[in-house]
Amino acid sequence: ITYFDSDGIGWEAPRDESLGRLASDVRVMRLGCCVHSGSFWDWRLVHEQSVPLQALRPHESEGGPMPVTARQSSMAGPMGRGALLRAGLRTIDPGIQRVLQRKAVVYAHCPQGHPMQPSEPQRSSGWGLGTSLPSTCSMCSTTVADGEPKLECMPCGFCLCGPCDRKGLFRGYYSLGSVDVSTARLLIQEPDWIRYKAKRYMAAAGVAGGTLGLDVWQGRLAVRLYGDLGQDPPCKAELIETFRRHSEAGDGSWNLGLDEDAFCNLLSELLADRKS
């Protein structure tokens, strides 16, 4: 098993008593380097045959720098631990939070999360064979003629023109990750891209093309979404209230799930709060 470990303050590896004074001297030297550099996160690469789970998630242990509460633990499903780490680290080391908020270079994916590929122009055989009909960009509805640059996901029938691909790439819209204030301000003006992001989140939660149930919203999606926005997830009651508000049926009752339109509205609301 290969992973990164640290001897930084608040992130202590178990001491090897067999090393005696040498281990203590090494630790003092490392802490001295941390003081001079202004960082208390002295990372190193570790190779081990077996590793205790606590060594891989020391921030969640009791007495650690970011212990997970019972409420957070119950909310953190398979998608949630990384979101909890992103949300909590800003109170420990703002420098790490800034690193985690950097926009990764993520290339085009369809709303289902499939990597998209450039569409090769069709060559005519001279008999009118081999030509293809123009495509329509799934984002801006622009007609893309054969031979013009475009990206496609053949299984989903999702197509992107060149300008939409550049926007998704350079503005970080393709990424399911940290959404900073500037990105939120741009997204809130792009309803089609908000819908794209909503589809990506629903697909990642395993409810692509269906309805988002309250259990999935509480257990997985909310933790990840709030973490991407750099916020701590609200309490269970607030999560339920947000879900109900966006699932109202109009007659005083509320639906058992959020469809795509309802989740788009919920995402737009959270983005508007993030940009303010």
Side-chain angles (χ1 to χ4, degrees), residues 39-53:
S39 172
F40 287 86
W41 299 88
D42 182 22
W43 296 101
R44 69 183 189 278
L45 194 62
V46 178
H47 305 276
E48 298 287 352
Q49 291 295 325
S50 61
V51 181
L53 183 60

Side-chain angles (χ1 to χ4, degrees), residues 133-227:
L133 295 175
S135 303
T136 301
C137 177
S138 301
M139 293 300 302
C140 67
S141 301
T142 298
T143 299
V144 185
D146 183 38
E148 293 183 3
K150 62 183 177 182
L151 297 175
E152 288 183 319
C153 175
M154 298 300 293
C156 297
F158 190 80
C159 172
L160 284 174
C161 65
C164 284
D165 174 47
R166 289 191 292 274
K167 180 182 290 187
L169 178 64
F170 296 129
R171 294 187 177 182
Y173 292 166
Y174 291 138
S175 173
L176 278 189
S178 179
V179 179
D180 57 21
V181 174
S182 61
T183 302
R185 287 174 178 169
L186 293 172
L187 265 175
I188 204 66
Q189 303 174 45
E190 305 264 14
D192 291 334
W193 281 102
I194 292 179
R195 183 169 295 274
Y196 167 86
K197 297 280 279 189
K199 290 180 178 180
R200 287 290 309 275
Y201 276 112
M202 292 181 73
V207 291
T211 57
L212 176 65
L214 179 59
D215 56 340
V216 177
W217 164 247
Q218 287 183 270
R220 287 187 285 175
L221 186 49
V223 178
R224 175 169 187 170
L225 182 53
Y226 279 95

